[in-house]
Amino acid sequence: AAGASVLLLRAGLALLASPIYLLSFLGLWEPFCRKVFFPFILHKISVVHDKKSKKHKQELFRNLPDFRGPSGELRLLEIGTGGGANFQFYPEGCRVTCSDIDTGFQESLSKNMKKNGHLRFERFLVAAGEELGAVASGSVDAVVATLVLCSVKSVPGTLREVLRVLRPGGAFYFLEHVAAEHSSWRYFWQQVCYPTWKLIFAGCCLTRELWKDLEEAKFSELKIQHISLAMPGMPIEPHIVGYGVK
């Protein structure tokens, strides 16, 4: 019965979002979404999410300086940088390489770069998480991804790239929304919203069990904490936060 209810409610939601489905069918939605809509809406959501996640991020990034390379410098690659909301948490003198598939965040990105003069920005790559070929193997001390693994095409592929670019002993930091407990109402609603949400939010998947992918990747040490961030009216409350060491 739950399966039938999910399908019925999905159809209702698709009907409400039918103009977007039509634009998508005509090939007009994705370019508009990536350039205009997604950066705009993500900025609005981020304001709330950044407030809710701030103390978790402060805690998460506290030990970043421990992963400085032999030269004493911390070389950091951030995947899916967006508008640069994480810059404030990086330590003094950190050398940051930014990467994202979307270039619609330039305005808030340059604002956050100016605001965080304690960092050294190396370069900006337009690249997907699975395709970090422009970054040399073993060349970074830390990789960061927050709210990124939900929308990469391949989570295992992205984690393979993360492990490739990290030097041995380097760390991958993450904070991601994940699937809710299967028996919960929250999971039921995640399933209902899934197709329409994915279309509207540039490929964001609501029901990924990312902790499983992280456990299967070849990290020598992995710390994962399951947390809940109250996001009013949005099916993205359950999160995981932590880091893995190569």
Side-chain angles (χ1 to χ4, degrees), residues 33-51:
C33 179
R34 292 221 174 272
K35 293 264 182 302
V36 184
F37 177 79
F38 188 58
F40 169 77
I41 202 80
L42 197 68
H43 177 70
K44 300 281 180 229
I45 295 171
S46 294
V47 172
V48 181
H49 194 277
D50 291 345
K51 275 199 190 87

Side-chain angles (χ1 to χ4, degrees), residues 2-216:
S5 315
V6 166
L7 291 176
L8 200 64
L9 287 162
R10 271 185 182 180
L13 202 54
L15 201 61
L16 288 173
S18 54
I20 294 175
Y21 279 90
L22 179 64
L23 288 172
S24 173
F25 176 72
L26 296 171
L28 302 172
W29 173 251
E30 201 180 335
F32 171 75
C33 179
R34 292 221 174 272
K35 293 264 182 302
V36 184
F37 177 79
F38 188 58
F40 169 77
I41 202 80
L42 197 68
H43 177 70
K44 300 281 180 229
I45 295 171
S46 294
V47 172
V48 181
H49 194 277
D50 291 345
K51 275 199 190 87
K52 306 264 184 189
S53 61
K54 186 164 188 176
K55 63 177 199 304
H56 294 290
K57 284 185 179 179
Q58 282 168 332
E59 188 59 38
L60 172 66
F61 294 125
R62 187 168 292 159
N63 67 346
L64 256 178
D66 300 351
F67 291 99
R68 285 198 177 105
S71 65
E73 284 192 315
L74 182 72
R75 297 159 306 169
L76 184 146
L77 166 69
E78 182 168 356
I79 304 173
T81 309
N86 293 327
F87 295 162
Q88 56 180 312
F89 304 106
Y90 300 159
E92 183 81 40
C94 177
R95 290 170 55 177
V96 182
T97 296
C98 305
S99 77
D100 208 308
I101 48 169
D102 295 328
T103 51
F105 300 100
Q106 293 304 342
E107 202 180 317
S108 44
L109 184 66
S110 48
K111 205 184 293 177
N112 273 323
M113 281 176 155
K114 283 194 189 80
K115 219 188 282 181
N116 291 279
H118 67 292
L119 305 175
R120 287 167 54 192
F121 295 101
E122 303 272 283
R123 55 185 179 152
F124 184 93
L125 309 169
V126 179
E130 307 90 327
E131 295 155 6
L132 300 170
V135 183
S137 300
S139 66
V140 295
D141 305 303
V143 176
V144 172
T146 61
L147 302 186
V148 172
L149 296 178
C150 57
S151 56
V152 294
K153 286 197 173 68
S154 162
V155 177
T158 300
L159 295 177
R160 274 196 297 276
E161 277 291 80
V162 164
L163 283 161
R164 180 186 67 78
V165 302
L166 278 174
R167 65 165 172 80
F172 171 55
Y173 287 80
F174 53 87
L175 186 150
E176 299 284 344
H177 68 83
V178 291
E181 182 62 48
H182 281 212
S183 59
S184 67
W185 270 110
R186 199 168 274 160
Y187 185 68
F188 174 82
W189 285 112
Q190 283 182 332
Q191 287 184 295
V192 168
C193 297
Y194 187 96
T196 299
W197 182 276
K198 189 177 179 183
L199 175 67
I200 294 177
F201 292 98
C204 171
C205 298
L206 290 172
T207 55
R208 287 187 174 171
E209 299 179 331
L210 296 169
W211 62 91
K212 292 182 179 174
D213 298 286
L214 286 156
E215 281 157 8
E216 281 162 21

